[in-house]
Amino acid sequence: MPALSHPFLLPPPYLQKHRERAAKHREKGVMKGGQVTMEREIEVPNPNNGQPCKSVTLEDLTGKMADFAKERDWDQFHSPRNLLLALVGEVGELSKIFQWKGEVPKGLPDWKEEEKLHLGEELSDVLLYLVRLSDICGVDLGKAALRKMELNANKYPVKQCNGYNGYNTAEQDV
């Protein structure tokens, strides 16, 4: 089975066409008042036909991702290995956003709206691949996450770990 790429594991023959279409939708410089500003050329569809958005569950995302792949006959490409490699690639793209920025304060107060939008897109790619991978592997991601939180709570009790990050430092036996 061939290695696949972003987004949602496009089959290789369509990858170049996808990249060309995506390039048309990327940010482009626009002159305004003698200064170059950045604008997006993409329309963001309203998934609820103008209705207020409800909370999205992992089950909602799992179903939407399964439908998305099935409609395009991409299930044949969605092996655990391919999905994992795509997920790792997306984590790399997410990491690139933070590269060379140093420590960033919570809420990203100094970031431009375009940067926050891009961050949201990359976070979404990571989430969607993770949800799809868990579905293909037959893992209930919500239950697994809750179980892991419980295990971590037992492993790192509040009384022993409050304010301590758990890594080896000069202070041992905390």
Short mmCIF file of all heavy atoms in Angstrom, two decimals, residues 61-131:
data_model
loop_
_atom_site.label_atom_id
_atom_site.label_comp_id
_atom_site.label_asym_id
_atom_site.label_seq_id
_atom_site.Cartn_x
_atom_site.Cartn_y
_atom_site.Cartn_z
N LEU A 61 -17.34 13.48 15.53
CA LEU A 61 -16.17 13.56 14.67
C LEU A 61 -15.85 12.20 14.06
O LEU A 61 -15.53 12.11 12.87
CB LEU A 61 -14.96 14.07 15.45
CG LEU A 61 -15.03 15.53 15.90
CD1 LEU A 61 -13.82 15.88 16.74
CD2 LEU A 61 -15.15 16.47 14.72
N THR A 62 -15.98 11.14 14.84
CA THR A 62 -15.71 9.79 14.34
C THR A 62 -16.65 9.47 13.17
O THR A 62 -16.21 8.98 12.13
CB THR A 62 -15.86 8.75 15.47
OG1 THR A 62 -14.92 9.04 16.50
CG2 THR A 62 -15.65 7.34 14.96
N GLY A 63 -17.92 9.76 13.35
CA GLY A 63 -18.90 9.49 12.30
C GLY A 63 -18.65 10.33 11.06
O GLY A 63 -18.70 9.82 9.93
N LYS A 64 -18.36 11.60 11.25
CA LYS A 64 -18.10 12.49 10.10
C LYS A 64 -16.85 12.06 9.34
O LYS A 64 -16.82 12.07 8.11
CB LYS A 64 -17.99 13.94 10.55
CG LYS A 64 -19.33 14.56 10.93
CD LYS A 64 -19.17 16.02 11.29
CE LYS A 64 -20.49 16.64 11.66
NZ LYS A 64 -21.38 16.80 10.52
N MET A 65 -15.81 11.66 10.07
CA MET A 65 -14.58 11.22 9.41
C MET A 65 -14.81 9.91 8.65
O MET A 65 -14.32 9.74 7.54
CB MET A 65 -13.45 11.06 10.43
CG MET A 65 -12.92 12.36 10.98
SD MET A 65 -12.17 13.40 9.72
CE MET A 65 -10.75 12.40 9.30
N ALA A 66 -15.56 9.00 9.25
CA ALA A 66 -15.87 7.73 8.57
C ALA A 66 -16.66 7.99 7.30
O ALA A 66 -16.37 7.41 6.25
CB ALA A 66 -16.61 6.80 9.51
N ASP A 67 -17.67 8.86 7.38
CA ASP A 67 -18.47 9.20 6.20
C ASP A 67 -17.61 9.87 5.13
O ASP A 67 -17.73 9.58 3.94
CB ASP A 67 -19.63 10.13 6.59
CG ASP A 67 -20.68 9.45 7.44
OD1 ASP A 67 -20.67 8.20 7.52
OD2 ASP A 67 -21.49 10.18 8.05
N PHE A 68 -16.75 10.79 5.56
CA PHE A 68 -15.88 11.52 4.65
C PHE A 68 -15.01 10.54 3.85
O PHE A 68 -14.91 10.64 2.62
CB PHE A 68 -15.01 12.49 5.45
CG PHE A 68 -14.19 13.44 4.64
CD1 PHE A 68 -14.69 14.68 4.27
CD2 PHE A 68 -12.89 13.11 4.25
CE1 PHE A 68 -13.92 15.56 3.52
CE2 PHE A 68 -12.12 13.98 3.51
CZ PHE A 68 -12.63 15.21 3.14
N ALA A 69 -14.39 9.60 4.56
CA ALA A 69 -13.53 8.62 3.89
C ALA A 69 -14.33 7.68 2.99
O ALA A 69 -13.92 7.37 1.87
CB ALA A 69 -12.75 7.82 4.94
N LYS A 70 -15.49 7.23 3.47
CA LYS A 70 -16.31 6.29 2.71
C LYS A 70 -16.81 6.93 1.41
O LYS A 70 -16.78 6.30 0.34
CB LYS A 70 -17.49 5.81 3.55
CG LYS A 70 -18.30 4.73 2.90
CD LYS A 70 -19.37 4.20 3.82
CE LYS A 70 -20.09 3.05 3.14
NZ LYS A 70 -21.07 2.44 4.01
N GLU A 71 -17.28 8.17 1.48
CA GLU A 71 -17.78 8.86 0.29
C GLU A 71 -16.72 8.97 -0.80
O GLU A 71 -17.03 9.03 -1.98
CB GLU A 71 -18.27 10.27 0.67
CG GLU A 71 -19.53 10.29 1.49
CD GLU A 71 -19.81 11.65 2.11
OE1 GLU A 71 -18.96 12.57 2.00
OE2 GLU A 71 -20.88 11.79 2.73
N ARG A 72 -15.48 9.02 -0.40
CA ARG A 72 -14.37 9.18 -1.35
C ARG A 72 -13.66 7.87 -1.65
O ARG A 72 -12.65 7.86 -2.34
CB ARG A 72 -13.38 10.21 -0.79
CG ARG A 72 -13.96 11.61 -0.81
CD ARG A 72 -13.31 12.53 0.20
NE ARG A 72 -13.91 13.86 0.13
CZ ARG A 72 -15.07 14.19 0.69
NH1 ARG A 72 -15.77 13.28 1.36
NH2 ARG A 72 -15.57 15.40 0.58
N ASP A 73 -14.16 6.76 -1.09
CA ASP A 73 -13.54 5.45 -1.26
C ASP A 73 -12.09 5.46 -0.78
O ASP A 73 -11.20 4.91 -1.42
CB ASP A 73 -13.63 4.98 -2.71
CG ASP A 73 -13.28 3.51 -2.86
OD1 ASP A 73 -13.49 2.75 -1.89
OD2 ASP A 73 -12.76 3.13 -3.93
N TRP A 74 -11.85 6.11 0.37
CA TRP A 74 -10.50 6.20 0.93
C TRP A 74 -10.27 5.22 2.07
O TRP A 74 -9.16 5.15 2.60
CB TRP A 74 -10.22 7.61 1.43
CG TRP A 74 -10.06 8.62 0.34
CD1 TRP A 74 -9.98 8.39 -1.00
CD2 TRP A 74 -9.95 10.04 0.51
NE1 TRP A 74 -9.84 9.58 -1.68
CE2 TRP A 74 -9.82 10.60 -0.78
CE3 TRP A 74 -9.96 10.87 1.62
CZ2 TRP A 74 -9.69 11.98 -0.96
CZ3 TRP A 74 -9.83 12.23 1.42
CH2 TRP A 74 -9.69 12.78 0.14
N ASP A 75 -11.26 4.44 2.44
CA ASP A 75 -11.05 3.46 3.51
C ASP A 75 -9.89 2.52 3.17
O ASP A 75 -9.16 2.10 4.07
CB ASP A 75 -12.31 2.63 3.76
CG ASP A 75 -13.37 3.39 4.54
OD1 ASP A 75 -12.99 4.27 5.34
OD2 ASP A 75 -14.56 3.11 4.35
N GLN A 76 -9.73 2.22 1.90
CA GLN A 76 -8.67 1.32 1.47
C GLN A 76 -7.28 1.86 1.82
O GLN A 76 -6.32 1.10 1.95
CB GLN A 76 -8.76 1.07 -0.03
CG GLN A 76 -8.64 2.36 -0.86
CD GLN A 76 -8.83 2.14 -2.33
OE1 GLN A 76 -8.31 1.17 -2.87
NE2 GLN A 76 -9.55 3.03 -2.98
N PHE A 77 -7.17 3.18 2.01
CA PHE A 77 -5.88 3.80 2.32
C PHE A 77 -5.69 4.05 3.81
O PHE A 77 -4.61 4.42 4.25
CB PHE A 77 -5.75 5.14 1.58
CG PHE A 77 -5.92 5.01 0.09
CD1 PHE A 77 -7.05 5.55 -0.52
CD2 PHE A 77 -4.97 4.37 -0.69
CE1 PHE A 77 -7.21 5.44 -1.89
CE2 PHE A 77 -5.14 4.26 -2.06
CZ PHE A 77 -6.26 4.80 -2.67
N HIS A 78 -6.75 3.90 4.59
CA HIS A 78 -6.72 4.27 6.01
C HIS A 78 -6.31 3.10 6.90
O HIS A 78 -7.07 2.67 7.76
CB HIS A 78 -8.06 4.85 6.44
CG HIS A 78 -8.28 6.22 5.91
ND1 HIS A 78 -9.27 7.04 6.39
CD2 HIS A 78 -7.64 6.94 4.96
CE1 HIS A 78 -9.23 8.20 5.75
NE2 HIS A 78 -8.25 8.15 4.87
N SER A 79 -5.10 2.62 6.70
CA SER A 79 -4.56 1.60 7.60
C SER A 79 -4.05 2.31 8.85
O SER A 79 -3.74 3.51 8.81
CB SER A 79 -3.42 0.85 6.91
OG SER A 79 -2.30 1.70 6.74
N PRO A 80 -3.93 1.59 9.96
CA PRO A 80 -3.38 2.23 11.16
C PRO A 80 -2.01 2.87 10.91
O PRO A 80 -1.75 3.99 11.35
CB PRO A 80 -3.29 1.08 12.16
CG PRO A 80 -4.40 0.16 11.77
CD PRO A 80 -4.40 0.23 10.26
N ARG A 81 -1.15 2.19 10.17
CA ARG A 81 0.18 2.74 9.90
C ARG A 81 0.09 4.05 9.12
O ARG A 81 0.74 5.03 9.46
CB ARG A 81 1.01 1.72 9.11
CG ARG A 81 2.37 2.23 8.70
CD ARG A 81 3.05 1.25 7.70
NE ARG A 81 4.25 1.80 7.16
CZ ARG A 81 4.30 2.63 6.11
NH1 ARG A 81 3.20 2.99 5.49
NH2 ARG A 81 5.45 3.09 5.67
N ASN A 82 -0.68 4.07 8.04
CA ASN A 82 -0.80 5.28 7.23
C ASN A 82 -1.39 6.43 8.03
O ASN A 82 -0.95 7.58 7.90
CB ASN A 82 -1.65 5.02 5.99
CG ASN A 82 -0.91 4.23 4.94
OD1 ASN A 82 0.31 4.09 4.99
ND2 ASN A 82 -1.64 3.70 3.98
N LEU A 83 -2.40 6.14 8.83
CA LEU A 83 -3.01 7.19 9.65
C LEU A 83 -2.02 7.72 10.68
O LEU A 83 -1.95 8.92 10.92
CB LEU A 83 -4.28 6.68 10.32
CG LEU A 83 -5.45 6.45 9.36
CD1 LEU A 83 -6.54 5.64 10.05
CD2 LEU A 83 -6.00 7.76 8.84
N LEU A 84 -1.26 6.82 11.29
CA LEU A 84 -0.27 7.25 12.28
C LEU A 84 0.79 8.13 11.63
O LEU A 84 1.16 9.18 12.18
CB LEU A 84 0.39 6.04 12.95
CG LEU A 84 1.50 6.39 13.95
CD1 LEU A 84 0.96 7.23 15.09
CD2 LEU A 84 2.15 5.13 14.46
N LEU A 85 1.29 7.74 10.48
CA LEU A 85 2.31 8.55 9.80
C LEU A 85 1.75 9.91 9.39
O LEU A 85 2.45 10.93 9.50
CB LEU A 85 2.86 7.80 8.59
CG LEU A 85 3.68 6.55 8.92
CD1 LEU A 85 4.10 5.82 7.66
CD2 LEU A 85 4.89 6.90 9.78
N ALA A 86 0.51 9.95 8.96
CA ALA A 86 -0.11 11.23 8.63
C ALA A 86 -0.26 12.09 9.88
O ALA A 86 -0.04 13.30 9.85
CB ALA A 86 -1.47 10.99 7.97
N LEU A 87 -0.64 11.46 11.00
CA LEU A 87 -0.76 12.17 12.27
C LEU A 87 0.57 12.77 12.68
O LEU A 87 0.65 13.94 13.09
CB LEU A 87 -1.29 11.22 13.35
CG LEU A 87 -1.33 11.74 14.78
CD1 LEU A 87 -2.28 12.92 14.90
CD2 LEU A 87 -1.76 10.62 15.72
N VAL A 88 1.64 12.01 12.58
CA VAL A 88 2.98 12.50 12.92
C VAL A 88 3.35 13.69 12.03
O VAL A 88 3.90 14.69 12.51
CB VAL A 88 4.02 11.37 12.82
CG1 VAL A 88 5.44 11.90 12.90
CG2 VAL A 88 3.78 10.33 13.90
N GLY A 89 3.03 13.61 10.76
CA GLY A 89 3.28 14.74 9.85
C GLY A 89 2.55 15.99 10.28
O GLY A 89 3.09 17.10 10.24
N GLU A 90 1.30 15.83 10.70
CA GLU A 90 0.51 16.97 11.15
C GLU A 90 1.06 17.56 12.46
O GLU A 90 1.04 18.77 12.66
CB GLU A 90 -0.96 16.60 11.31
CG GLU A 90 -1.65 16.29 10.01
CD GLU A 90 -1.60 17.41 8.99
OE1 GLU A 90 -1.53 18.60 9.38
OE2 GLU A 90 -1.63 17.11 7.79
N VAL A 91 1.55 16.69 13.35
CA VAL A 91 2.17 17.19 14.58
C VAL A 91 3.41 18.01 14.22
O VAL A 91 3.67 19.05 14.84
CB VAL A 91 2.51 16.03 15.55
CG1 VAL A 91 3.38 16.51 16.70
CG2 VAL A 91 1.23 15.39 16.08
N GLY A 92 4.13 17.58 13.21
CA GLY A 92 5.28 18.36 12.73
C GLY A 92 4.86 19.73 12.22
O GLY A 92 5.51 20.74 12.52
N GLU A 93 3.77 19.79 11.46
CA GLU A 93 3.27 21.08 10.98
C GLU A 93 2.82 21.96 12.13
O GLU A 93 3.05 23.18 12.13
CB GLU A 93 2.14 20.87 9.98
CG GLU A 93 2.62 20.27 8.67
CD GLU A 93 1.51 20.18 7.62
OE1 GLU A 93 0.58 21.00 7.66
OE2 GLU A 93 1.60 19.27 6.78
N LEU A 94 2.20 21.36 13.13
CA LEU A 94 1.79 22.10 14.32
C LEU A 94 3.02 22.64 15.06
O LEU A 94 3.05 23.80 15.49
CB LEU A 94 0.96 21.20 15.23
CG LEU A 94 0.45 21.78 16.54
CD1 LEU A 94 -0.44 23.00 16.31
CD2 LEU A 94 -0.30 20.71 17.32
N SER A 95 4.04 21.81 15.19
CA SER A 95 5.27 22.23 15.88
C SER A 95 5.94 23.39 15.16
O SER A 95 6.50 24.28 15.79
CB SER A 95 6.25 21.05 15.96
OG SER A 95 5.69 19.99 16.69
N LYS A 96 5.87 23.37 13.85
CA LYS A 96 6.49 24.43 13.04
C LYS A 96 5.92 25.81 13.38
O LYS A 96 6.65 26.81 13.33
CB LYS A 96 6.28 24.10 11.57
CG LYS A 96 7.28 24.70 10.63
CD LYS A 96 7.21 24.01 9.29
CE LYS A 96 6.66 24.97 8.27
NZ LYS A 96 6.59 24.41 6.93
N ILE A 97 4.66 25.85 13.73
CA ILE A 97 4.02 27.13 14.08
C ILE A 97 4.69 27.75 15.29
O ILE A 97 4.86 28.97 15.38
CB ILE A 97 2.51 26.93 14.33
CG1 ILE A 97 1.82 26.51 13.04
CG2 ILE A 97 1.88 28.20 14.90
CD1 ILE A 97 0.37 26.11 13.22
N PHE A 98 5.10 26.91 16.25
CA PHE A 98 5.69 27.40 17.49
C PHE A 98 7.21 27.51 17.43
O PHE A 98 7.82 28.09 18.33
CB PHE A 98 5.29 26.49 18.66
CG PHE A 98 3.85 26.65 19.05
CD1 PHE A 98 2.88 25.84 18.49
CD2 PHE A 98 3.45 27.62 19.95
CE1 PHE A 98 1.54 25.97 18.85
CE2 PHE A 98 2.13 27.77 20.31
CZ PHE A 98 1.17 26.95 19.75
N GLN A 99 7.80 26.96 16.37
CA GLN A 99 9.25 26.96 16.26
C GLN A 99 9.78 28.39 16.27
O GLN A 99 9.24 29.26 15.59
CB GLN A 99 9.67 26.25 14.98
CG GLN A 99 11.15 26.04 14.83
CD GLN A 99 11.48 25.25 13.59
OE1 GLN A 99 10.68 25.15 12.67
NE2 GLN A 99 12.67 24.69 13.56
N TRP A 100 10.77 28.65 17.05
CA TRP A 100 11.48 29.92 17.15
C TRP A 100 10.69 31.02 17.83
O TRP A 100 11.09 32.17 17.83
CB TRP A 100 11.98 30.41 15.80
CG TRP A 100 12.64 29.36 14.99
CD1 TRP A 100 12.26 28.92 13.76
CD2 TRP A 100 13.81 28.59 15.34
NE1 TRP A 100 13.10 27.93 13.32
CE2 TRP A 100 14.07 27.70 14.28
CE3 TRP A 100 14.64 28.55 16.46
CZ2 TRP A 100 15.13 26.81 14.30
CZ3 TRP A 100 15.69 27.65 16.47
CH2 TRP A 100 15.93 26.80 15.39
N LYS A 101 9.55 30.73 18.41
CA LYS A 101 8.76 31.76 19.08
C LYS A 101 9.12 31.88 20.56
O LYS A 101 8.65 32.79 21.21
CB LYS A 101 7.26 31.48 18.94
CG LYS A 101 6.73 31.72 17.55
CD LYS A 101 5.23 31.69 17.54
CE LYS A 101 4.66 31.92 16.17
NZ LYS A 101 4.61 33.31 15.79
N GLY A 102 9.89 30.94 21.09
CA GLY A 102 10.17 30.96 22.52
C GLY A 102 8.90 30.62 23.29
O GLY A 102 7.96 30.04 22.75
N GLU A 103 8.88 30.97 24.56
CA GLU A 103 7.69 30.72 25.36
C GLU A 103 6.55 31.63 24.89
O GLU A 103 6.78 32.81 24.61
CB GLU A 103 7.96 30.95 26.85
CG GLU A 103 8.74 29.83 27.50
CD GLU A 103 8.06 28.47 27.39
OE1 GLU A 103 6.82 28.39 27.57
OE2 GLU A 103 8.76 27.49 27.11
N VAL A 104 5.38 31.08 24.80
CA VAL A 104 4.21 31.82 24.32
C VAL A 104 3.20 31.86 25.46
O VAL A 104 2.86 30.82 26.02
CB VAL A 104 3.60 31.12 23.08
CG1 VAL A 104 2.35 31.83 22.62
CG2 VAL A 104 4.62 31.03 21.96
N PRO A 105 2.69 33.06 25.83
CA PRO A 105 1.73 33.13 26.93
C PRO A 105 0.38 32.50 26.56
O PRO A 105 -0.01 32.46 25.40
CB PRO A 105 1.58 34.62 27.19
CG PRO A 105 2.08 35.31 25.97
CD PRO A 105 3.02 34.37 25.28
N LYS A 106 -0.30 32.01 27.58
CA LYS A 106 -1.63 31.44 27.38
C LYS A 106 -2.54 32.45 26.70
O LYS A 106 -2.49 33.64 26.98
CB LYS A 106 -2.24 31.02 28.72
CG LYS A 106 -1.55 29.85 29.35
CD LYS A 106 -2.19 29.49 30.68
CE LYS A 106 -1.45 28.34 31.33
NZ LYS A 106 -2.03 28.00 32.63
N GLY A 107 -3.39 31.96 25.83
CA GLY A 107 -4.33 32.82 25.13
C GLY A 107 -3.75 33.47 23.89
O GLY A 107 -4.47 34.08 23.11
N LEU A 108 -2.44 33.36 23.69
CA LEU A 108 -1.74 33.90 22.52
C LEU A 108 -2.08 35.38 22.27
O LEU A 108 -2.47 35.76 21.17
CB LEU A 108 -2.07 33.07 21.28
CG LEU A 108 -1.97 31.55 21.43
CD1 LEU A 108 -2.44 30.86 20.17
CD2 LEU A 108 -0.57 31.12 21.81
N PRO A 109 -1.93 36.25 23.28
CA PRO A 109 -2.37 37.64 23.15
C PRO A 109 -1.64 38.43 22.07
O PRO A 109 -2.21 39.37 21.51
CB PRO A 109 -2.10 38.24 24.54
CG PRO A 109 -1.03 37.37 25.12
CD PRO A 109 -1.29 35.99 24.57
N ASP A 110 -0.43 38.04 21.72
CA ASP A 110 0.35 38.79 20.73
C ASP A 110 0.22 38.23 19.32
O ASP A 110 0.86 38.73 18.40
CB ASP A 110 1.83 38.82 21.14
CG ASP A 110 2.05 39.48 22.48
OD1 ASP A 110 1.27 40.39 22.83
OD2 ASP A 110 3.00 39.09 23.19
N TRP A 111 -0.59 37.21 19.15
CA TRP A 111 -0.72 36.58 17.84
C TRP A 111 -1.77 37.29 17.01
O TRP A 111 -2.80 37.74 17.51
CB TRP A 111 -1.10 35.11 17.99
CG TRP A 111 0.01 34.23 18.46
CD1 TRP A 111 1.01 34.54 19.33
CD2 TRP A 111 0.24 32.89 18.08
NE1 TRP A 111 1.82 33.48 19.53
CE2 TRP A 111 1.38 32.43 18.78
CE3 TRP A 111 -0.43 32.00 17.24
CZ2 TRP A 111 1.88 31.15 18.64
CZ3 TRP A 111 0.07 30.71 17.11
CH2 TRP A 111 1.22 30.30 17.80
N LYS A 112 -1.52 37.35 15.70
CA LYS A 112 -2.50 37.90 14.77
C LYS A 112 -3.62 36.89 14.58
O LYS A 112 -3.44 35.69 14.79
CB LYS A 112 -1.83 38.18 13.41
CG LYS A 112 -0.76 39.23 13.48
CD LYS A 112 -0.09 39.38 12.14
CE LYS A 112 1.06 40.36 12.25
NZ LYS A 112 1.90 40.34 11.07
N GLU A 113 -4.75 37.37 14.13
CA GLU A 113 -5.91 36.48 13.92
C GLU A 113 -5.59 35.41 12.89
O GLU A 113 -6.03 34.27 13.02
CB GLU A 113 -7.12 37.32 13.51
CG GLU A 113 -8.45 36.68 13.82
CD GLU A 113 -8.60 36.24 15.28
OE1 GLU A 113 -8.21 36.96 16.20
OE2 GLU A 113 -9.11 35.11 15.47
N GLU A 114 -4.82 35.76 11.84
CA GLU A 114 -4.45 34.78 10.82
C GLU A 114 -3.62 33.65 11.43
O GLU A 114 -3.75 32.49 11.05
CB GLU A 114 -3.65 35.43 9.68
CG GLU A 114 -4.42 36.45 8.89
CD GLU A 114 -4.30 37.86 9.48
OE1 GLU A 114 -3.38 38.12 10.29
OE2 GLU A 114 -5.14 38.69 9.15
N GLU A 115 -2.73 34.00 12.38
CA GLU A 115 -1.91 32.99 13.02
C GLU A 115 -2.76 32.05 13.87
O GLU A 115 -2.54 30.84 13.89
CB GLU A 115 -0.84 33.65 13.90
CG GLU A 115 0.22 34.40 13.13
CD GLU A 115 1.19 35.13 14.05
OE1 GLU A 115 0.73 35.95 14.87
OE2 GLU A 115 2.40 34.87 13.94
N LYS A 116 -3.74 32.62 14.56
CA LYS A 116 -4.63 31.79 15.38
C LYS A 116 -5.49 30.89 14.50
O LYS A 116 -5.75 29.74 14.85
CB LYS A 116 -5.50 32.66 16.28
CG LYS A 116 -4.73 33.33 17.39
CD LYS A 116 -5.65 34.13 18.28
CE LYS A 116 -4.89 34.80 19.40
NZ LYS A 116 -5.77 35.56 20.29
N LEU A 117 -5.93 31.40 13.37
CA LEU A 117 -6.71 30.59 12.43
C LEU A 117 -5.87 29.42 11.92
O LEU A 117 -6.33 28.28 11.88
CB LEU A 117 -7.21 31.45 11.27
CG LEU A 117 -8.06 30.76 10.22
CD1 LEU A 117 -9.36 30.25 10.83
CD2 LEU A 117 -8.36 31.71 9.08
N HIS A 118 -4.63 29.70 11.55
CA HIS A 118 -3.73 28.65 11.07
C HIS A 118 -3.48 27.62 12.17
O HIS A 118 -3.50 26.41 11.91
CB HIS A 118 -2.42 29.27 10.59
CG HIS A 118 -1.45 28.29 10.02
ND1 HIS A 118 -0.11 28.34 10.27
CD2 HIS A 118 -1.62 27.19 9.23
CE1 HIS A 118 0.50 27.34 9.66
NE2 HIS A 118 -0.39 26.63 9.02
N LEU A 119 -3.27 28.08 13.39
CA LEU A 119 -3.09 27.16 14.53
C LEU A 119 -4.31 26.26 14.68
O LEU A 119 -4.18 25.04 14.86
CB LEU A 119 -2.85 27.95 15.81
CG LEU A 119 -2.75 27.13 17.10
CD1 LEU A 119 -1.58 26.16 17.05
CD2 LEU A 119 -2.64 28.06 18.30
N GLY A 120 -5.50 26.83 14.59
CA GLY A 120 -6.73 26.05 14.70
C GLY A 120 -6.83 24.99 13.61
O GLY A 120 -7.28 23.86 13.86
N GLU A 121 -6.39 25.33 12.41
CA GLU A 121 -6.41 24.36 11.31
C GLU A 121 -5.48 23.19 11.59
O GLU A 121 -5.84 22.03 11.38
CB GLU A 121 -6.03 25.05 10.00
CG GLU A 121 -7.07 26.04 9.52
CD GLU A 121 -6.58 26.93 8.38
OE1 GLU A 121 -5.39 26.84 8.00
OE2 GLU A 121 -7.38 27.72 7.90
N GLU A 122 -4.28 23.49 12.06
CA GLU A 122 -3.31 22.42 12.33
C GLU A 122 -3.72 21.58 13.54
O GLU A 122 -3.56 20.35 13.53
CB GLU A 122 -1.90 22.99 12.50
CG GLU A 122 -1.34 23.67 11.26
CD GLU A 122 -1.34 22.80 10.01
OE1 GLU A 122 -1.26 21.55 10.12
OE2 GLU A 122 -1.44 23.36 8.91
N LEU A 123 -4.24 22.22 14.58
CA LEU A 123 -4.75 21.46 15.72
C LEU A 123 -5.88 20.53 15.27
O LEU A 123 -5.97 19.38 15.72
CB LEU A 123 -5.25 22.41 16.82
CG LEU A 123 -4.19 23.13 17.63
CD1 LEU A 123 -4.82 24.27 18.44
CD2 LEU A 123 -3.46 22.17 18.54
N SER A 124 -6.73 21.03 14.38
CA SER A 124 -7.84 20.22 13.87
C SER A 124 -7.34 19.04 13.07
O SER A 124 -7.88 17.93 13.18
CB SER A 124 -8.77 21.08 13.01
OG SER A 124 -9.36 22.08 13.79
N ASP A 125 -6.31 19.25 12.25
CA ASP A 125 -5.74 18.13 11.49
C ASP A 125 -5.26 17.03 12.44
O ASP A 125 -5.51 15.84 12.21
CB ASP A 125 -4.56 18.60 10.63
CG ASP A 125 -5.00 19.35 9.38
OD1 ASP A 125 -6.16 19.19 8.96
OD2 ASP A 125 -4.17 20.09 8.82
N VAL A 126 -4.55 17.43 13.51
CA VAL A 126 -4.05 16.45 14.47
C VAL A 126 -5.22 15.71 15.13
O VAL A 126 -5.22 14.48 15.22
CB VAL A 126 -3.16 17.14 15.54
CG1 VAL A 126 -2.85 16.19 16.69
CG2 VAL A 126 -1.87 17.66 14.90
N LEU A 127 -6.22 16.46 15.56
CA LEU A 127 -7.38 15.84 16.21
C LEU A 127 -8.10 14.88 15.27
O LEU A 127 -8.43 13.75 15.65
CB LEU A 127 -8.36 16.91 16.71
CG LEU A 127 -9.68 16.39 17.28
CD1 LEU A 127 -9.44 15.56 18.53
CD2 LEU A 127 -10.62 17.55 17.56
N LEU A 128 -8.32 15.30 14.04
CA LEU A 128 -9.07 14.46 13.10
C LEU A 128 -8.33 13.17 12.77
O LEU A 128 -8.94 12.10 12.69
CB LEU A 128 -9.41 15.25 11.84
CG LEU A 128 -10.39 16.40 12.06
CD1 LEU A 128 -10.53 17.24 10.80
CD2 LEU A 128 -11.74 15.89 12.54
N TYR A 129 -7.02 13.25 12.58
CA TYR A 129 -6.26 12.02 12.34
C TYR A 129 -6.27 11.12 13.57
O TYR A 129 -6.36 9.90 13.46
CB TYR A 129 -4.82 12.33 11.94
CG TYR A 129 -4.66 12.59 10.46
CD1 TYR A 129 -4.17 13.79 10.00
CD2 TYR A 129 -5.01 11.62 9.52
CE1 TYR A 129 -4.01 14.03 8.64
CE2 TYR A 129 -4.88 11.85 8.17
CZ TYR A 129 -4.37 13.06 7.73
OH TYR A 129 -4.24 13.29 6.39
N LEU A 130 -6.18 11.70 14.75
CA LEU A 130 -6.21 10.90 15.98
C LEU A 130 -7.56 10.20 16.14
O LEU A 130 -7.62 9.01 16.46
CB LEU A 130 -5.92 11.79 17.19
CG LEU A 130 -5.84 11.09 18.54
CD1 LEU A 130 -4.71 10.07 18.56
CD2 LEU A 130 -5.65 12.11 19.65
N VAL A 131 -8.62 10.92 15.87
CA VAL A 131 -9.97 10.34 15.96
C VAL A 131 -10.13 9.22 14.93
O VAL A 131 -10.64 8.15 15.24
CB VAL A 131 -11.04 11.44 15.77
CG1 VAL A 131 -12.41 10.85 15.49
CG2 VAL A 131 -11.08 12.36 16.98
#
